Amino acid sequence: QVYLVESGGGLVQAGGSLRLSCAASGRTFSSSGMGWFRQAPGKERDFVAGITWIHGTQYADSVKGRFTISRDNAKNTVYLEMNSLKSEDTAVYYCAAKTRGRNWYQNQVDYWGQGTQVTVSS
């Protein structure tokens, strides 16, 4: 009942920046948090960053210090600001929403966006 639509992906040079957006609709009031995962070809879908309304933000070690997740309540939108991008950041980025809890294990995600491609040229 929560629908997530990502935007902002594209091709960027290594060292550059990109901002992803995830607009939520539906039963957004039931969400306890939103976040981002990514999946590179041949790899599993990995947690990138998340924000819960009570417990705040959490980041994967690989992106900590480079990525920032934020939320605009009025727009029902979560953003992922990606700086100092590396080639290994290349992946399909998926917006995620959870209805309970503070942890960001994949099996705790209740809703997924369709994904947006981020390609970082080396």
Side-chain angles (χ1 to χ4, degrees):
Q1 282 87 29
V2 176
Y3 302 94
L4 308 172
V5 179
E6 304 98 331
S7 62
L11 176 65
V12 64
Q13 186 179 1
S17 299
L18 205 62
R19 185 175 68 178
L20 305 182
S21 299
C22 176
S25 61
R27 297 174 60 87
T28 58
F29 59 85
S30 68
S31 177
S32 66
M34 297 176 65
W36 295 89
F37 287 68
R38 66 187 181 187
Q39 187 167 23
K43 301 187 68 176
E44 297 181 349
R45 188 172 299 187
D46 295 326
F47 170 73
V48 176
I51 180 169
T52 61
W53 314 153
I54 296 175
H55 300 288
T57 59
Q58 184 177 345
Y59 297 93
D61 289 341
S62 59
V63 306
K64 192 153 190 165
R66 299 188 298 120
F67 291 10
T68 301
I69 187 170
S70 60
R71 173 172 174 257
D72 187 332
N73 291 342
K75 297 181 179 179
N76 295 122
T77 300
V78 168
Y79 304 94
L80 184 67
E81 182 72 34
M82 304 184 293
N83 300 311
S84 301
L85 283 162
K86 308 173 182 178
S87 60
E88 52 262 45
D89 295 318
T90 296
V92 176
Y93 283 70
Y94 295 91
C95 185
K98 59 199 275 94
T99 58
R100 59 185 295 173
R102 62 180 294 180
N103 297 313
W104 285 100
Y105 301 107
Q106 185 173 178
N107 62 6
Q108 294 182 341
V109 172
D110 299 297
Y111 304 98
W112 295 98
Q114 83 286 353
T116 185
Q117 177 70 49
V118 172
T119 302
V120 183
S121 61
S122 59

